[in-house]
Amino acid sequence: MSLAGRRCVAVGGGKVAARKARRLLQARARVVVVAPEVDEELAAMATEVHRRPYRPGDLEGAFLAFAATDSREVNAAVAQEAKRLGVPVNVADRPQEGDFALPSTLRRGGLQVAVSTGGASPVLAREVRKRLEALFGPEWAGLVEEVGREREARLAGEAPEETERHRRLKAEVDLCLSRLSG
């Protein structure tokens, strides 16, 4: 999903909201934060910061919403407003009240490996992702780029389906994948 330039509202000013905001910034979203107290790192990331309690109307014009406060009542109110406005919402303390969960994502260049528990245990998803980091080293970024260039050349008709380079890349991919199984 492209979030570039889209207004995404995070209600909450702490570490959880900051984690969500970091991911939004990676997607080039316009990050709006609403919270009475806002962590300085989060404030520096946000496009807009409203240092006040959440109030109805804060989600107007939002593409996505995040309820990330330490107040059950506030998170529930954010979820209700989001539902009323048709804005997909992620609810940190009760994922089942939201519309989506964010996976823990490992990135190596164009390679992305996402691990999700559907919101049941973000800690478990994060730990699984950390273990995968050791298996997917930095070499994967270069491999993805090289395989992508080869694919583009084939799609553009600039290279036949089976070339020596294609066979070499396939062998390299197979070798990298075989390391995953030990």
Side-chain angles (χ1 to χ4, degrees):
M1 173 184 324
S2 174
L3 298 179
R6 299 199 179 193
R7 184 174 195 267
C8 297
V9 178
V11 178
K15 293 188 184 320
V16 173
R19 258 197 325 271
K20 311 278 185 190
R22 251 184 249 105
R23 300 279 298 277
L24 291 168
L25 284 177
Q26 289 172 345
R28 298 184 324 276
R30 286 184 19 239
V31 179
V32 177
V33 175
V34 178
E37 294 179 29
V38 179
D39 176 274
E40 287 311 309
E41 178 194 6
L42 177 56
M45 286 188 269
T47 306
E48 291 176 41
V49 177
H50 302 278
R51 292 181 195 269
R52 59 168 172 72
Y54 160 81
R55 60 183 176 225
D58 282 339
L59 302 185
E60 290 288 339
F63 184 74
L64 290 179
F66 295 84
T69 75
D70 57 5
S71 166
R72 170 85 292 268
E73 294 77 25
V74 173
N75 288 347
V78 171
Q80 288 172 354
E81 180 181 6
K83 300 271 189 224
R84 184 177 55 75
L85 294 174
V87 175
V89 64
N90 173 275
V91 182
D93 66 335
R94 295 237 177 112
Q96 67 277 13
E97 286 183 14
D99 300 302
F100 65 97
L102 295 176
S104 184
T105 307
L106 163 67
R107 289 181 175 83
R108 297 291 187 254
L111 176 69
Q112 292 185 38
V113 179
V115 179
S116 176
T117 60
S121 177
V123 171
L124 176 60
R126 193 167 40 252
E127 289 305 313
V128 170
R129 184 216 5 109
K130 284 180 181 177
R131 292 200 183 189
L132 290 173
E133 286 176 351
L135 298 172
F136 291 93
E139 70 277 5
W140 282 87
L143 181 60
V144 170
E145 280 183 33
E146 199 172 342
V147 170
R149 282 192 298 272
E150 176 69 15
R151 179 176 185 268
E152 289 299 318
R154 283 197 330 270
L155 290 174
E158 298 167 5
E161 191 67 29
E162 280 293 317
T163 64
E164 182 55 38
R165 182 170 188 256
H166 178 74
R167 284 189 289 280
R168 182 184 58 76
L169 284 173
K170 184 171 178 352
E172 193 171 341
V173 168
D174 289 343
L175 177 64
C176 285
L177 290 173
S178 72
R179 290 184 202 141
L180 295 178
S181 59

